[in-house]
Amino acid sequence: MVDRSAIGRVLPSVKARVEPGRLRYFLKTIGECNPIYRDPEAARKEGYSGLAVPPTYSFCLEMLDADQPFAMLTELDIDLGRVLHGEQAFAYYAPLLVDDCLTFQPEVTDIADKKGGALTMIAIRTKVTNQRGVHVADLTRTIVVRN
């Protein structure tokens, strides 16, 4: 069982720069061909001030640039072998652009038992701000722990 006192706990932040080379590799991997992610002129025609970043890439950045990507599990005393990724959602308030320097600040927002305590659902909201301190996105995910 996960300690419910962790609700409201702010977890270690992660800082990441949107590097064009890593983004190109991501685009190639997922087969993304939209020119707003590769061609500055195409991005400008669509209203972006630089190359845009696909919605799910922010989750990758948070994991890739964390010194310890599973530190949250350690802090909550959860065995990684008992964890499933349950759900992921993204809310964007401003575009993410290549060369942005982003700060990811996760917080545990809920912990609930399901299936008579066989599973625990941990909800985490990550606030993302850019280098100007603008709140650009919220990433929410649910982690499922088998008890």
Side-chain angles (χ1 to χ4, degrees), residues 51-130:
L51 285 175
V53 174
T56 58
Y57 189 61
S58 55
F59 176 68
C60 296
L61 279 175
E62 183 183 10
M63 292 293 288
L64 286 170
D65 283 20
D67 288 335
Q68 298 178 353
F70 300 107
M72 178 269 305
L73 299 177
T74 303
E75 284 201 22
L76 299 177
D77 196 28
I78 298 170
D79 176 7
L80 177 60
R82 305 187 70 76
V83 168
L84 298 169
H85 183 82
E87 183 177 29
Q88 183 80 46
F90 305 86
Y92 286 92
Y93 311 113
L96 304 184
L97 303 171
V98 168
D99 289 328
D100 275 353
C101 293
L102 304 171
T103 300
F104 299 82
Q105 184 62 69
E107 177 181 357
V108 177
T109 57
D110 193 25
I111 298 173
D113 289 330
K114 301 287 183 183
K115 304 275 184 187
L119 303 172
T120 299
M121 311 295 206
I122 304 170
I124 297 175
R125 175 186 164 266
T126 300
K127 180 180 179 180
V128 184
T129 54
N130 66 15

Side-chain angles (χ1 to χ4, degrees), residues 15-37:
K15 293 188 182 294
R17 179 178 160 262
V18 181
E19 298 174 14
R22 285 199 317 185
L23 178 58
R24 280 192 299 273
Y25 183 77
F26 177 82
L27 295 171
K28 184 177 180 180
T29 301
I30 66 171
E32 178 58 65
C33 299
N34 189 327
I36 66 170
Y37 304 127

